[in-house]
Amino acid sequence: MSVCLMVAGAAIALASPDFTLEWTHSVEKIEWREHWQVTGNRLHLTRAAVKGSGAGMEPGPDAVLQDGWWVWAPDLPPQPELLLAASGATVSSWHLCDGQRCHDLGKDPGKPVAVRPCPAG
């Protein structure tokens, strides 16, 4: 099954419908990880994890501590797209990984990086 994402207007082929999005919080300097799944023309957040808590990044109410990460299943409806800030002033870029390859997004200052499923067909 071929799956792809449109990232900043360019198609990225994925090894599977599942991918992770990782970054370091710009203020708290704490790692954050989200697991997403491409489902049709939507992106479904299946799991989130954070290495700590702080300004605007508290673990979910049902979070459990696993290997140093607070992990939970967010209650977020499937999304048509993700908009990732690209200030160029943060600790790290966004890392989008599909299990085989990783892509750094939003490292340089500019418009937010749009991530959405590729159009069908």
Side-chain angles (χ1 to χ4, degrees):
M1 171 191 219
S2 178
V3 177
C4 82
L5 291 174
M6 294 300 294
V7 178
I12 293 178
L14 299 179
S16 77
D18 301 302
F19 67 94
T20 60
L21 191 58
E22 301 178 12
W23 68 95
T24 301
H25 191 275
S26 61
V27 175
E28 299 293 339
K29 312 295 189 265
I30 295 173
E31 295 173 72
W32 190 284
R33 181 181 298 150
E34 293 177 342
H35 295 263
W36 291 85
Q37 184 174 66
V38 179
T39 307
N41 64 349
R42 299 279 190 222
L43 301 171
H44 182 228
L45 178 59
T46 59
R47 188 172 73 162
V50 65
K51 279 265 187 168
S53 63
M57 52 185 298
E58 293 76 22
D62 61 341
V64 295
L65 189 59
Q66 296 177 353
D67 299 321
W69 291 81
W70 287 102
V71 180
W72 71 99
D75 183 22
L76 180 72
Q79 303 292 302
E81 72 177 356
L82 306 175
L83 291 177
L84 310 177
S87 70
T90 58
V91 175
S92 72
S93 57
W94 304 85
H95 306 290
L96 188 150
C97 301
D98 69 357
Q100 292 184 355
R101 290 177 305 275
C102 292
H103 306 272
D104 288 335
L105 310 174
K107 182 177 180 179
D108 298 319
K111 294 180 181 179
V113 177
V115 177
R116 66 178 62 90
C118 291

